[in-house]
Amino acid sequence: MGGTALAAASSGTPATATARTRVLVIEDERALTDVLAYNLQREGYEAVLAHDGQEGLRKAQTLLPDLILLDLMLPTMSGLDVCRELRSGERTRDIPIIMITAKAEETDQVVGFKMGADDYVTKPFSVKVLLERIKALQRRLDGGAEPADVVEHLHVRIDRLRHRAYMDDQELDLTPTEFRLLECLLRQPGRAFSRHQLMDAAIGEGAIVLERTIDVHIKTLRRKLGQMDLIETVRGVGYRFRERSPE
């Protein structure tokens, strides 16, 4: 996508991002990174650029950005491999990741989310829309007037302040999306959530995703909890966290 079209898509509104919020852009198309950097800086973000997978991984591990925009098709190391490495690292596993790619097939989106991506944007895209997706993800991470920071039900406990989750006092290795999804379900056990409601809770309002995406997250979350029946499927609706312990 051409830089002129991207620049024209800028929101043109005053900067609203939190000062010094650092966004790492890992993208090999230099014209695109230049335009993204310009628009991010215009909105008050600090933009850091990397033009191949290995460089992006190295900068992510050393700079620990607040958010990463990650292209799927990269030289030296694919975006999926970069995502996998970040999610396996102690210091980088909780960094929010928005994947940016020309691949729009359903399987690519499912694989991207399965690897731990928090959101997915396909080219061509509007920078204004991308910025709104970033802000929606930030709002979900930052919260606002929040309920209790520690919630526990049926031996599952989440601690929002420390961003940790436990099952029978054993810490769970969750992606940021899985953590927010579990939090949503755990706060209202017994309530049936639709897939769209869960995706809004997990990755922010306005995110456009496939319904199958939430199924991938639920499947992985069930496996990590080690008890498949804690998250119940509600036929024709979506999912709910079990209200009472199974007999």
Side-chain angles (χ1 to χ4, degrees):
M1 178 168 49
T4 302
L6 275 171
S10 174
S11 64
T13 57
T16 56
T18 304
R20 303 298 296 172
T21 298
R22 178 179 292 166
V23 178
L24 171 61
V25 181
I26 309 176
E27 161 68 57
D28 63 328
E29 187 180 337
R30 292 179 182 268
L32 177 55
T33 58
D34 289 344
V35 173
L36 287 175
Y38 169 80
N39 282 276
L40 286 167
Q41 290 165 359
R42 178 174 175 148
E43 292 292 316
Y45 297 94
E46 176 188 351
V48 179
L49 307 181
H51 296 103
D52 65 63
Q54 289 183 348
E55 179 190 12
L57 179 60
R58 184 176 66 253
K59 287 187 175 180
Q61 292 170 335
T62 56
L63 299 177
L64 299 178
D66 299 292
L67 185 141
I68 296 173
L69 303 180
L70 176 63
D71 188 25
L72 188 61
M73 303 297 291
L74 292 167
T76 72
M77 188 177 190
S78 74
L80 288 178
D81 286 338
V82 172
C83 187
R84 186 182 294 108
E85 288 293 324
L86 292 173
R87 288 295 176 246
S88 65
E90 180 70 26
R91 302 172 68 213
T92 59
R93 65 184 181 185
D94 293 331
I95 299 176
I97 298 173
I98 298 178
M99 281 193 171
I100 301 175
T101 179
K103 288 193 171 185
E105 291 82 0
E106 179 178 340
T107 53
D108 296 310
Q109 295 196 34
V110 172
V111 170
F113 281 113
K114 192 172 182 179
M115 289 295 102
D118 294 277
D119 203 350
Y120 198 108
V121 180
T122 56
K123 300 175 184 176
F125 59 85
S126 159
V127 168
K128 181 178 180 180
V129 170
L130 176 61
L131 290 170
E132 288 305 314
R133 299 280 277 270
I134 292 173
K135 292 171 186 175
L137 189 54
Q138 279 191 297
R139 286 195 299 270
R140 179 55 53 189
L141 290 169
D142 295 340
E146 294 293 339
D149 291 317
V150 178
V151 179
E152 186 170 4
H153 181 65
L154 297 183
H155 307 288
V156 180
R157 185 173 82 257
I158 57 172
D159 186 331
R160 288 194 67 261
L161 288 180
R162 295 174 176 82
H163 204 275
R164 295 181 183 276
Y166 303 87
M167 177 70 198
D168 288 326
D169 294 323
Q170 294 294 316
E171 186 170 358
L172 302 172
D173 183 15
L174 304 181
T175 68
T177 297
E178 290 166 356
F179 183 91
R180 292 188 296 276
L181 181 58
L182 178 60
E183 178 184 5
C184 175
L185 291 165
L186 197 64
R187 285 193 183 280
Q188 300 185 65
R191 174 184 170 178
F193 290 89
S194 70
R195 289 171 174 81
H196 289 298
Q197 289 173 325
L198 289 173
M199 290 314 300
D200 285 342
I203 63 177
E205 296 178 0
I208 302 174
V209 297
L210 300 164
E211 285 197 3
R212 276 191 59 193
T213 302
I214 195 64
D215 298 328
V216 174
H217 286 306
I218 291 292
K219 181 179 179 180
T220 305
L221 193 52
R222 281 170 167 165
R223 176 176 55 80
K224 291 182 177 181
L225 286 171
Q227 297 189 31
M228 302 294 285
D229 60 353
L230 283 180
I231 299 177
E232 301 176 312
T233 299
V234 183
R235 190 179 299 276
V237 180
Y239 299 96
R240 68 185 169 214
F241 201 92
R242 180 179 288 276
E243 189 170 10
R244 298 179 179 85
S245 179
E247 297 298 333

